[in-house]
Amino acid sequence: MLFRSVVKEESLDPDVCACCPTAIVKTAKGLLVAYRDHTAGDIRDIAAIRFENGKWTASANVFPDKWKINACPTNAAAVAAKADRAAISWYTAAAGNAKVEMVFSTDDGATFTKPVTVSTAVAYGYTSIALDDDGGALVSWLEKGGTDARIMVRKVDANGTPGAAVQVAQGNRKSLGYPKILRTGGETWITWAGSGGNDKVHTARLK
């Protein structure tokens, strides 16, 4: 289907991090949007808004990291949903601790669990997330690895217990791009950019 026109445009939040990407998914009740908010004092935490019963809810923090930074970090959240279950992962460097966190929701994004830290070293962020068939999530991110960066993937089961972190690739942080993870047909795939002068797009199937 081709979209030929914009039917309606709405402002959902008047003050956000404009350089950070916005993520959106469909839940059992409607739409769930995750993005990096901006509030007084240059606090830039992740917020969520839902579209249910024909209207948008008020913006609500996913978790109060209270990351204060006088710049847009161009590094936001990823969201995935399946029926009424959703998961959001994001990067934060609050209190100087650069990490990637994730939360679950079992009510279409109305409430969230306590965050689980998935990164294992100094994180660069650029996270992506997918829900598996058991109610858990698979999270990818970039983190520091020696003198380079590495793409990491970790499964977090439905009760919030993280599994082993697995390295998918290693290379220059900027060259690796913004890896994306996808769950489809009972399989999980991840794709990323080439590194070190290799401009190819790479894919891998995760087991």
Side-chain angles (χ1 to χ4, degrees):
M1 178 182 294
L2 296 178
F3 295 95
R4 301 182 184 276
S5 64
V6 176
V7 176
K8 185 178 182 181
E9 181 177 329
E10 297 177 83
S11 176
L12 305 183
D13 191 322
D15 188 7
V16 302
C17 277
C19 297
C20 288
T22 299
I24 184 171
V25 289
K26 185 177 181 180
T27 70
K29 289 185 177 180
L31 300 178
L32 173 63
V33 178
Y35 62 99
R36 188 172 297 284
D37 202 2
H38 176 248
T39 56
D42 279 331
I43 302 300
R44 302 174 187 264
D45 290 341
I46 301 301
I49 293 178
R50 294 172 290 120
F51 185 75
E52 295 181 3
N53 301 318
K55 61 181 181 180
W56 291 99
T57 64
S59 172
N61 259 16
V62 173
F63 180 77
D65 289 309
K66 298 182 180 179
W67 185 17
K68 182 175 182 177
I69 174 174
N70 186 24
C72 187
T74 63
N75 202 331
V79 60
K82 186 176 182 180
D84 59 359
R85 191 169 182 82
I88 296 177
S89 60
W90 70 94
Y91 168 81
T92 181
N97 184 13
K99 60 184 177 179
V100 170
E101 300 178 302
M102 67 84 58
V103 291
F104 285 113
S105 173
T106 57
D107 53 10
D108 305 271
T111 61
F112 294 96
T113 60
K114 182 179 178 180
V116 176
T117 299
V118 295
S119 51
T120 59
V122 176
Y124 296 131
Y126 306 103
T127 180
S128 185
I129 193 167
L131 289 178
D132 65 17
D133 299 334
D134 300 320
L138 297 122
V139 186
S140 69
W141 71 95
L142 293 183
E143 71 178 28
K144 186 175 182 180
T147 58
D148 294 317
R150 55 184 182 174
I151 301 172
M152 303 295 293
V153 175
R154 196 172 200 177
K155 178 175 180 178
V156 181
D157 67 24
N159 65 13
T161 302
V166 177
Q167 179 176 314
V168 175
Q170 187 165 357
N172 179 271
R173 180 177 68 86
K174 291 185 178 180
S175 297
L176 289 172
Y178 208 137
K180 296 295 182 180
I181 195 167
L182 173 69
R183 178 79 177 170
T184 182
E187 296 182 335
T188 305
W189 293 81
I190 186 169
T191 182
W192 68 96
S195 184
N198 184 353
D199 58 358
K200 296 181 180 179
V201 173
H202 299 270
T203 61
R205 182 166 61 91
L206 304 176
K207 296 183 178 180

